[in-house]
Amino acid sequence: MRSTQPEATSMQPQPAATFSPAAGSASGAATNAVGSNFERPALAPLLLSTKSTVWGDAAPDALEPFANTAQDRALRSSTLQRHGHRCMFCGLESLANEVHNRNDNHRDLSEENLMVADPICHRWFHLGQLRKGEGLVVYLPGLSGRDASHLLRTILIALTCDDEAASKDAKRLLNWMASHHEYVRQRWGSSEPSAFAAAVARTVHDDPARRAIAFDGLALVIHPQTVEKATQQMRAELTAHWPVNAWPRVAHDVLNAPT
């Protein structure tokens, strides 16, 4: 990562999203309908991976499989709308979310292969597209990939807020997460995402379950500047319903919920 002492960026939030997603959304109220959660697909496991190298890929560094054509823009929009802008890995619903290729092949534009991932989870599957300084692979045993993604998102949003105490706490937490790259460097020889991308590429046909075992406890920490624009959007959506100064109360209520 460029620095273990990242500075909070000064960004003005965009207007809150106008769409109204269902439960689990950062910008919409949860539905209370009995059994409503059964209508939503189960979340997929979050695994470290990389984009497949495919002959004819005109944009090998792209995170989404589209060119800037009217047809591709329409396909992107329809994909996001079909899945309610909901990340298939962590459940976040946001206008900042991106289209993800389930099989890592960007030439496969079949409907069943085009899914949705939030900007943080999506980069778990694009280790090879992260340049040096844009991220680190860290060892966080006991913390699921989904929880690591949610924690990092909360930190990145808090870094941009006007609450000085929250921003300082966010810096400390980000540095704590990033410091765990040293365990990976000692054990694997490198904590650079590109090194893990190369390893995944050499075993691309292996059972993903075996890869999950090999990479158990590993997570991706992203430098704030890498997803700066997306963080701005997610912040606007989240704080429209849960202002940063209300987070301590919400955390207290969750941790002390009646049994």
Side-chain angles (χ1 to χ4, degrees):
M1 197 164 286
R2 294 188 183 93
S3 170
T4 57
Q5 298 291 334
E7 294 296 325
T9 53
S10 175
M11 297 190 295
Q12 296 299 317
Q14 297 177 357
T18 56
F19 77 125
S20 300
S25 165
S27 58
T31 177
N32 294 319
V34 175
S36 59
N37 286 341
F38 290 98
E39 300 174 2
R40 305 170 66 75
L43 297 174
L46 190 56
L47 302 175
L48 294 173
S49 187
T50 194
K51 180 179 176 180
S52 298
T53 301
V54 180
W55 179 264
D57 189 347
D61 293 328
L63 298 178
E64 293 187 309
F66 306 117
N68 188 25
T69 66
Q71 182 178 2
D72 279 2
R73 288 194 298 271
L75 181 56
R76 181 183 190 275
S77 178
S78 64
T79 300
L80 292 170
Q81 292 179 19
R82 183 171 66 253
H83 296 286
H85 291 260
R86 181 178 186 250
C87 175
M88 65 180 292
F89 303 106
C90 73
L92 178 77
E93 295 178 12
S94 172
L95 294 178
N97 287 356
E98 302 162 343
V99 174
H100 167 65
N101 290 79
R102 186 194 292 271
N103 64 5
D104 297 326
N105 181 353
H106 277 214
R107 297 281 286 177
D108 184 351
L109 299 182
S110 59
E111 181 174 307
E112 61 273 15
N113 191 49
L114 295 181
M115 304 297 290
V116 175
D118 83 86
I120 293 174
C121 293
H122 200 190
R123 280 154 182 78
W124 279 58
F125 294 85
H126 281 274
L127 298 180
Q129 282 66 59
L130 290 174
R131 296 185 294 271
K132 187 175 180 62
E134 290 187 336
L136 290 169
V137 177
V138 301
Y139 183 53
L140 295 172
L143 192 65
S144 70
R146 186 175 303 133
D147 287 341
S149 181
H150 281 311
L151 175 59
L152 180 59
R153 182 183 307 106
T154 304
I155 289 172
L156 297 182
I157 291 173
L159 277 174
T160 70
C161 74
D162 297 327
D163 187 313
E164 185 176 354
S167 181
K168 286 183 178 180
D169 286 343
K171 286 184 182 181
R172 287 193 290 266
L173 279 169
L174 181 60
N175 288 334
W176 172 81
M177 292 185 75
S179 70
H180 286 67
H181 87 96
E182 186 60 25
Y183 299 110
V184 178
R185 189 190 65 79
Q186 293 175 7
R187 176 64 178 84
W188 293 84
S190 174
S191 56
E192 288 294 328
S194 58
F196 284 82
V200 170
R202 290 195 296 269
T203 58
V204 67
H205 297 298
D206 280 2
D207 184 350
R210 294 172 59 189
R211 192 194 317 161
I213 295 174
F215 289 166
D216 183 45
L218 299 186
L220 179 66
V221 174
I222 301 171
H223 192 282
Q225 294 179 359
T226 306
V227 289
E228 186 175 14
K229 184 177 180 180
T231 299
Q232 193 173 11
Q233 176 65 42
M234 291 186 290
R235 172 192 169 181
E237 295 168 348
L238 180 67
T239 58
H241 294 271
W242 295 288
V244 174
N245 58 15
W247 289 6
R249 174 182 56 79
V250 174
H252 177 274
D253 292 346
V254 171
L255 294 173
N256 296 277
T259 58

